[in-house]
Amino acid sequence: MATEYTAWLDIFDDPQEARRVMLDGPTLVLGRSGDVDVVIDDPKASRRHAAVYRDEVGRWRLRDLGSNNGTRVNGDKIVDEHPLTNGEVIQLGTVSIRFIETDENSSREVTNPELFLRLKGSNDDLREMAWEEFYNRYAPIIAGYARKLGARGDEADDIVQEVVTGFFNATPRFVYDPNKGRFRGYLKVATIRAIQALVTGNRVRGISLDALEQEVAQTADAGWDEVWDRERLAYALALTRAHYQNNKTFKAFERFAVLGEPAEAVAEGLGMSVDGVYQAKTRVTAAVRQRIEEMEKEDG
């Protein structure tokens, strides 16, 4: 049976996207030298800078290997070693590396600190990653709702920018209190207000004020909820696909459960048993459901 990875490093040494390195061995050495496990191409990194390893009880730890500039975690320089927890950011020279750990039984990430708290954190790298997660999670919902009301492509992008910028400016003062309502409702109100402002300013022409007023007057949130649930599922699927590295298990799930291909055809095409296809569906479905539940807990 193929190894199921339970931890990895997202290395931000490329401005376009992170480089993912799976932790599939007992020790991984990082540094500038060409003969280490993970090469960090940064002049401020030492040739053998640091190592990530699993201790005798199975916990991942970070060890500085006598580097010239030291190794930092969440902005603080470590002394010799540091026990890693999910979501922490390692700094080697000018390169940021995010440590991710998953639950072996459920194939989901161990719960991070609440997203809204991380958006206000003091560490620049952690805060930047939190904003990226916020955008990836909510921008498709905002854009999908705007398009549902009639916004054109560029107009939907402008609405997303307006909402996200407004939330960014309000973040230092924003305190999420689930007792005052769910974030789902808060984001809908923020989106409608942004649309109203853009329509009034003639920056959005695909949505009429009459249609918007009718939407505001509705007590039910059916339209918003439809978009929310659809985009939330798409985001959870994308996260799960990344976790499985789009491997055979995920492909079997996708072809059988999403695309509706017969189990026998999927099994034959992927070189696995029919029972394996059913197991893939069960396992990946559970992982997707758990991701959605985790996001719903953060949203309140």
Side-chain angles (χ1 to χ4, degrees), residues 41-62:
D41 187 13
D42 185 276
K44 293 188 177 180
S46 296
R47 292 179 59 79
R48 293 176 61 84
H49 195 112
V52 176
Y53 73 98
R54 210 164 194 172
D55 63 19
E56 62 276 4
V57 296
R59 183 170 187 179
W60 292 101
R61 304 179 71 88
L62 175 68

Side-chain angles (χ1 to χ4, degrees), residues 8-9 27 51 62 68 84 101 103 130 148-149 168 187 192 194 205 228 255 266-267 271 285:
W8 63 83
L9 302 174
T27 303
L62 175 68
N68 293 329
L84 290 167
E101 188 172 22
D103 186 312
K148 186 177 181 65
L149 294 181
F168 178 83
L187 189 64
I192 289 177
R205 300 179 183 275
W228 179 283
R255 290 176 59 175
V266 174
T285 298

Side-chain angles (χ1 to χ4, degrees), residues 28-198:
L28 205 70
V29 177
L30 304 92
R32 193 161 41 86
S33 173
D35 61 359
V36 297
D37 300 304
V38 180
V39 176
I40 304 297
D41 187 13
D42 185 276
K44 293 188 177 180
S46 296
R47 292 179 59 79
R48 293 176 61 84
H49 195 112
V52 176
Y53 73 98
R54 210 164 194 172
D55 63 19
E56 62 276 4
V57 296
R59 183 170 187 179
W60 292 101
R61 304 179 71 88
L62 175 68
R63 174 186 298 153
D64 183 82
L65 300 178
S67 63
N68 293 329
N69 295 313
T71 301
R72 296 180 180 273
V73 174
N74 300 335
D76 298 324
K77 184 178 287 188
I78 68 171
V79 179
D80 295 330
E81 292 192 3
H82 173 83
L84 290 167
T85 58
N86 183 59
E88 287 192 312
V89 176
I90 304 165
Q91 194 84 24
L92 271 61
T94 62
V95 174
S96 297
I97 303 169
R98 188 182 185 193
F99 171 76
I100 301 294
E101 188 172 22
T102 65
D103 186 312
E104 291 184 6
N105 295 318
S106 65
S107 296
R108 65 174 174 85
E109 292 183 19
V110 178
T111 305
N112 281 326
E114 288 187 6
L115 175 60
F116 303 113
L117 294 178
R118 289 185 280 127
L119 291 173
K120 302 166 71 171
S122 58
N123 181 271
D124 290 342
D125 293 311
L126 285 174
R127 192 169 60 250
E128 182 178 348
M129 290 176 188
W131 275 110
E132 181 180 358
E133 181 180 343
F134 180 90
Y135 186 89
N136 291 338
R137 184 185 294 190
Y138 297 114
I141 297 172
I142 299 167
Y145 184 63
R147 286 192 293 269
K148 186 177 181 65
L149 294 181
R152 304 180 183 100
D154 291 344
E155 293 175 341
D157 293 339
D158 289 343
I159 292 166
V160 170
Q161 189 67 26
E162 190 78 9
V163 175
V164 173
T165 300
F167 191 81
F168 178 83
N169 293 333
T171 295
R173 306 182 305 277
F174 179 79
V175 178
Y176 175 54
D177 183 357
N179 294 321
K180 296 181 179 179
R182 306 171 71 187
F183 183 73
R184 176 192 293 225
Y186 173 91
L187 189 64
K188 180 188 177 184
V189 171
T191 301
I192 289 177
R193 287 177 178 171
I195 294 173
Q196 286 174 324
L198 293 175

Side-chain angles (χ1 to χ4, degrees), residues 8 20 109 234-244 291 295:
W8 63 83
R20 177 159 294 181
E109 292 183 19
Y235 185 59
L237 278 169
L239 291 176
T240 306
R241 183 195 301 275
H243 168 77
Y244 279 96
R291 288 185 183 279
M295 288 187 283

Side-chain angles (χ1 to χ4, degrees), residues 236-255:
L237 278 169
L239 291 176
T240 306
R241 183 195 301 275
H243 168 77
Y244 279 96
Q245 293 287 287
N246 201 28
N247 66 5
K248 184 184 294 187
T249 298
F250 188 87
K251 289 178 179 177
F253 158 79
E254 187 173 42
R255 290 176 59 175

